Amino acid sequence: MDHTPSPTATNDVHQGLHSERGALRGEHHGRSRDPLIKVADLAWLEFEKPDLDRAEAFARDFGFAVAARTPDTLYLRATFPGSACVVIRAGRASRFVGPAFRAAEARDLDRLASATGRSVRELRDLTGGRVVDLLDPSGIPVRVVHGLEQLPALPEQRPLILNFGTAQPRTDTTQRPPREPARVQRLGHVVLSTPVFVRALDWYLDTLGLIVSDFLFLDGQRDRGPTMAFLRCDQGSVAVDHHTLAMHLGPGTGYVHSAYQVTDLDALAAGGEYLAERGYRRSWGIGRHIQGSQLFDYWRDPDRLMVEHFADGDLFSCDVEPGWAAMSASGLAQWGPPATRDFLGSNPTPALLREALSALRADNEIDPARLLGLMKAMNS
Ligand SMILES: [Fe+2]
């Protein structure tokens, strides 16, 4: 499909730290001219876990509320109104199943179904609604849903009153952010790895109407195209998260991390202290990203799946064009501790080596130069 830019894509807000101005002539434009549909947002992420009690204990410490629990499924929700944003089913091993995106309109499901040869089904689940089940080019199951049961808002963790800049609104009172779980407001994004990056990228642009906020390329290999993209939903003039899906080229296929919004920096930091006190492992944080600008704090759940608290991320309307920058570990943050090997997934384990070797043999976008480029990016 044609990926020429839409006529409205004009603003360039990417000047600054580690970010170059934009695409060079002939480079990927980061959006489809005529996508099948335009999804509104991520609805939920689906996982399997061997121990639902342990999963629920971590989820509560991380700041989720439990929407429902059946003998074999745990539905987690956030404070914002809407559907459950994480669904965990009992399974033999801990694994990510796939994302569910929310269609803007009911007829989008019919359009999607007829174009892909799939069918629209009623969801026999506590979420209600209807679903079309797809597979992305990496082989990851992707659901598109509509008509979900809407849960009402839960009480918010109130942002603190801050004496910042020249304003001093807080007088005659102390600042005491409570040491408690950082209450999750909403699901923000999921990050996936794939050895068929460009194929998968084009599929998400053409099928779900996602648009690119930022591209990353391997240093010295820009002429071979991007190797990471941060994708947002196209909601026209409505500004949405800088990325709802991020995807990068890698030897492995699947989940890297998912991210959940909390109210402010103090909630994020105090919530982090709460997790640390309970013996959970921080993967990387606290810092502020470049692509997306979020304040971030990355954690490992008891099964070592990575989850992120974030606050204060960029919100872009459809007018913002993709930025282009070289991929590097130091380019992941404006400030904060150096990216850890745990976060980068660069600990040289036998499993990683096996994965790299089999990716080199398979029909995909991984070759020795790219593998070397990825390794160099993790150390630069
Ligand atoms: Fe993230």
Side-chain angles (χ1 to χ4, degrees):
M1 201 176 273
D2 184 14
H3 294 99
T4 47
S6 79
T8 52
T10 50
N11 294 3
D12 182 4
V13 297
H14 296 285
Q15 295 149 25
L17 203 62
H18 290 265
S19 195
E20 299 177 13
R21 280 196 65 88
L24 303 176
R25 181 185 285 274
E27 282 186 323
H28 201 297
H29 290 294
R31 55 182 78 185
S32 169
R33 184 173 275 281
D34 187 23
L36 216 43
I37 66 165
K38 291 179 178 181
V39 290
D41 202 354
L42 267 175
W44 68 76
L45 301 177
E46 233 167 286
F47 297 86
E48 283 180 3
K49 294 271 180 191
D51 185 339
L52 289 189
D53 289 336
R54 196 170 64 167
E56 179 176 338
F58 174 77
R60 289 184 186 278
D61 288 340
F62 190 74
F64 287 104
V66 173
R69 171 131 181 217
T70 67
D72 59 3
T73 311
L74 173 64
Y75 299 86
L76 302 176
R77 62 158 303 180
T79 58
F80 283 12
S83 63
C85 61
V86 173
V87 177
I88 304 176
R89 300 186 200 282
R92 246 179 297 177
S94 167
R95 70 178 194 101
F96 175 63
V97 179
F101 289 88
R102 186 164 57 78
E105 296 178 41
R107 66 179 177 198
D108 286 346
L109 294 193
D110 303 316
R111 201 163 171 194
L112 208 50
S114 69
T116 59
R118 301 280 173 148
S119 54
V120 183
R121 293 186 302 108
E122 297 291 325
L123 259 172
R124 278 184 233 288
D125 215 319
L126 291 184
T127 56
R130 299 193 312 150
V131 64
V132 176
D133 283 309
L134 306 170
L135 262 192
D136 80 3
S138 316
I140 296 170
V142 174
R143 318 189 90 178
V144 182
V145 295
H146 187 268
L148 307 175
E149 189 202 339
Q150 296 296 294
L151 304 166
L154 293 177
E156 283 293 327
Q157 190 170 8
R158 256 187 301 170
L160 298 180
I161 297 166
L162 302 170
N163 289 338
F164 272 176
T166 52
Q168 297 186 313
R170 182 173 56 80
T171 55
D172 293 340
T173 179
T174 58
Q175 195 71 290
R176 297 287 183 272
R179 183 74 58 92
E180 62 182 12
R183 227 169 292 171
V184 171
Q185 296 179 303
R186 52 186 284 271
L187 164 63
H189 61 259
V190 62
V191 181
L192 303 174
S193 168
T194 172
V196 289
F197 169 76
V198 174
R199 255 155 65 194
L201 169 68
D202 288 344
W203 185 85
Y204 281 98
L205 304 188
D206 293 337
T207 313
L208 304 187
L210 298 180
I211 57 178
V212 174
S213 297
D214 271 294
F215 277 124
L216 301 183
F217 54 86
L218 295 176
D219 202 21
Q221 300 186 44
R222 181 167 179 167
D223 58 336
R224 299 191 66 194
T227 48
M228 181 160 192
F230 297 85
L231 303 150
R232 68 186 186 278
C233 298
D234 182 355
Q235 293 291 286
S237 59
V238 178
V240 300
D241 282 354
H242 170 275
H243 54 281
T244 294
L245 169 68
M247 211 163 37
H248 65 72
L249 179 69
T253 300
Y255 181 85
V256 180
H257 73 258
S258 54
Y260 304 87
Q261 183 180 292
V262 300
T263 197
D264 65 9
L265 177 57
D266 278 276
L268 181 122
E273 293 298 311
Y274 184 89
L275 285 169
E277 278 174 0
R278 271 158 184 72
Y280 297 114
R281 274 199 41 220
R282 178 178 268 123
S283 178
W284 181 36
I286 297 169
R288 191 184 274 278
H289 276 309
I290 295 177
Q291 279 81 15
S293 306
Q294 303 96 333
L295 296 163
F296 63 81
D297 198 13
Y298 288 91
W299 291 88
R300 293 283 182 183
D301 85 353
D303 302 305
R304 289 199 40 79
L305 282 182
M306 201 194 295
V307 284
E308 173 189 5
H309 280 143
F310 76 92
D312 192 37
D314 294 337
L315 298 170
F316 285 0
S317 73
C318 73
D319 292 341
V320 181
E321 283 193 72
W324 285 75
M327 211 173 188
S328 70
S330 62
L332 290 170
Q334 306 185 49
W335 56 258
T340 59
R341 293 185 84 79
D342 179 71
F343 174 81
L344 295 168
S346 58
N347 284 322
T349 61
L352 192 68
L353 201 64
R354 273 198 303 276
E355 197 173 63
L357 285 174
S358 75
L360 278 170
R361 284 192 223 107
D363 174 25
N364 57 32
E365 297 163 29
I366 297 282
D367 59 29
R370 283 206 156 125
L371 208 51
L372 207 63
L374 286 166
M375 282 160 56
K376 268 166 66 184
M378 280 184 218
N379 291 299
S380 61

